[in-house]
Amino acid sequence: RIACVDPAVCQAVCKQNSCADIAFPTLMLELMPVGVRGLMLSVMMSALISSLTSIFNSSSTIFTIDIWRRVRKNATEVELMIVGRMCVLALVAVGIVWIPVLQSVTNLVNYTQGVTSFLAPPICAVYVLAIFWKRTNEKGAFWGLMIGLCVGLIRFGWEYSYKNYPCGEQYKDQKPDIISKIHYLHFGILLFVIVVAATVAISLLTAPIDDVHLERLTYWDRFSTKQRIDISEVEEEEKPVAKSVEDCEAYQDRGIYYIRFSMFLGSDTLSWYKTAFQWICGIEKMSKEHHMTDAEMRAIEEKHTSIYESMTGRWVLNINAILLVTVASFVIGFFA
């Protein structure tokens, strides 16, 4: 039934000219025993939930830290927490709205791989350049990502503005040759090259990053023992300070919202609606801020920047890596 080659038979069985999409559901629901069937369903649900939660958390973190903090420079931790939660709700709403688009897709696997080919190559290109080429700077990476994102979204919107036909009905396809003749995997390679070229060109046309800020951040100086100065520390020192009463008053005006918000949540005795608000947003009572000493700061920095690895841990990781590569190679070669 699944391996039917006659389009008429496939049309009678699964209402389309190919029954490839029902192969896995049929395997699970009709061929697997009861215990294994439940195990497979639980594995699929676990993988789905873990993937969604990681996507939601990473997306909300990127929006909160990289975008919202630039808009609200004096945002408190409570506000950032609430913004992150609201961002997750917005992403869930977008996902629900996008369901009709997915229902119109004839092959979900090809759709997923196609979207990945449109969006992942720019990130990969910038990451590889940043690791292996010290001349890469912030402007080159940013505009390289933006160019890659625009090109990928144009290809994505252009391709899926046409109807996708299942196997056996490709003769009805009216897509232009630039889409139908260039596979999405080949387009991913082309997009990677475009982003690399754009990032290299923009980086060469703009000021480089001083080597003192790049110690142990690239492949070539990963074992460097020189002290690295964080760019954010230099930018913090270069920020202008208030030189007049008017500047201080303007700063206080910008902070009124945060003071009021802290007063709303910071009282010792909370009413029921404040307690409910904190519970919904996942906000706990903020303890007094602990100011770390210079010695504690240095210890934390050394721990985070150290690449020390014990001999036992190194052997365990290497052996596990060899075993995993061997098993994966055998499985791929055996079932290919």
Side-chain angles (χ1 to χ4, degrees):
R1 185 174 68 177
I2 296 175
C4 57
V5 294
D6 188 354
V9 177
C10 293
Q11 188 70 29
V13 173
C14 53
K15 308 304 180 184
Q16 58 184 12
N17 291 343
S18 175
C19 293
D21 292 339
I22 68 170
F24 187 72
T26 303
L27 173 65
M28 288 187 55
L29 299 178
E30 299 184 11
L31 300 180
M32 286 185 175
V34 176
V36 179
R37 188 185 309 169
L39 178 62
M40 288 298 298
L41 288 175
S42 62
V43 168
M44 290 180 61
M45 292 300 298
S46 300
L48 177 63
I49 293 173
S50 64
S51 299
L52 290 177
T53 52
S54 62
I55 291 173
F56 290 153
N57 285 331
S58 59
S59 301
S60 63
T61 301
I62 291 173
F63 176 81
T64 304
I65 302 301
D66 295 340
I67 298 178
W68 188 260
R69 265 191 168 177
R70 293 182 179 271
V71 178
R72 313 286 290 189
K73 297 183 182 298
N74 301 319
T76 61
E77 294 295 331
V78 175
E79 181 182 356
L80 295 178
M81 175 70 74
I82 295 176
V83 171
R85 297 300 174 94
M86 295 300 104
C87 182
V88 171
L89 292 179
L91 291 173
V92 172
V94 171
I96 295 174
V97 173
W98 201 256
I99 290 177
V101 178
L102 296 179
Q103 290 178 339
S104 63
V105 176
T106 57
N107 193 316
L108 188 59
V109 175
N110 287 340
Y111 173 82
T112 305
Q113 296 298 323
V115 172
T116 304
S117 299
F118 302 151
L119 302 179
I123 301 175
C124 179
V126 172
Y127 180 82
V128 171
L129 282 176
I131 293 296
F132 292 101
W133 192 46
K134 297 179 67 173
R135 188 60 177 79
T136 307
N137 57 18
E138 182 180 1
K139 293 182 179 179
F142 175 79
W143 289 111
L145 286 174
M146 291 298 101
I147 293 173
L149 178 63
C150 292
V151 174
L153 290 178
I154 290 173
R155 166 66 189 247
F156 172 77
W158 195 2
E159 178 172 347
Y160 286 96
S161 62
Y162 295 91
K163 182 180 179 180
N164 292 319
Y165 293 93
C167 179
E169 297 183 8
Q170 283 86 353
Y171 63 91
K172 301 179 182 179
D173 198 351
Q174 299 179 352
K175 297 177 182 177
D177 291 342
I178 193 174
I179 294 179
S180 60
K181 301 298 183 182
I182 301 179
H183 196 267
Y184 57 80
L185 294 178
H186 298 158
F187 176 80
I189 299 175
L190 178 62
L191 183 59
F192 181 90
V193 174
I194 292 174
V195 174
V196 168
T199 304
V200 170
I202 297 174
S203 297
L204 292 176
L205 293 175
T206 53
I209 300 176
D210 293 337
D211 291 342
V212 70
H213 303 307
L214 299 176
E215 299 296 336
R216 296 181 302 280
L217 293 182
T218 63
Y219 178 82
W220 312 112
D221 56 3
R222 62 191 185 278
F223 297 116
S224 175
T225 58
K226 298 180 181 179
Q227 182 181 5
R228 183 177 71 248
I229 300 177
D230 196 347
I231 295 181
S232 60
E233 297 179 0
V234 178
E235 294 176 350
E236 190 71 23
E237 294 176 356
E238 295 177 352
K239 285 184 178 180
V241 296
K243 298 181 179 180
S244 63
V245 177
E246 290 78 8
D247 294 338
C248 294
E249 291 178 351
Y251 179 81
Q252 291 175 357
D253 291 338
R254 291 195 299 270
I256 286 177
Y257 167 77
Y258 306 103
I259 295 174
R260 290 178 177 174
F261 197 83
S262 299
M263 292 175 62
F264 174 75
L265 296 175
S267 58
D268 295 333
T269 303
L270 296 179
S271 58
W272 66 269
Y273 64 90
K274 292 181 181 179
T275 304
F277 180 79
Q278 287 193 358
W279 180 78
I280 293 174
C281 295
I283 303 171
E284 298 179 355
K285 291 284 292 181
M286 303 295 292
S287 59
K288 293 184 178 180
E289 184 179 359
H290 171 66
H291 296 280
M292 291 185 293
T293 62
D294 294 339
E296 292 176 336
M297 292 290 292
R298 285 195 297 269
I300 293 176
E301 183 179 0
E302 291 178 359
K303 181 179 179 180
H304 289 171
T305 58
S306 175
I307 59 174
Y308 171 76
E309 186 179 21
S310 64
M311 186 62 66
T312 303
R314 183 183 305 175
W315 275 102
V316 171
L317 291 176
N318 291 338
I319 292 174
N320 286 333
I322 294 173
L323 291 176
L324 289 176
V325 171
T326 303
V327 173
S329 301
F330 171 78
V331 171
I332 294 174
F334 183 80
F335 291 101

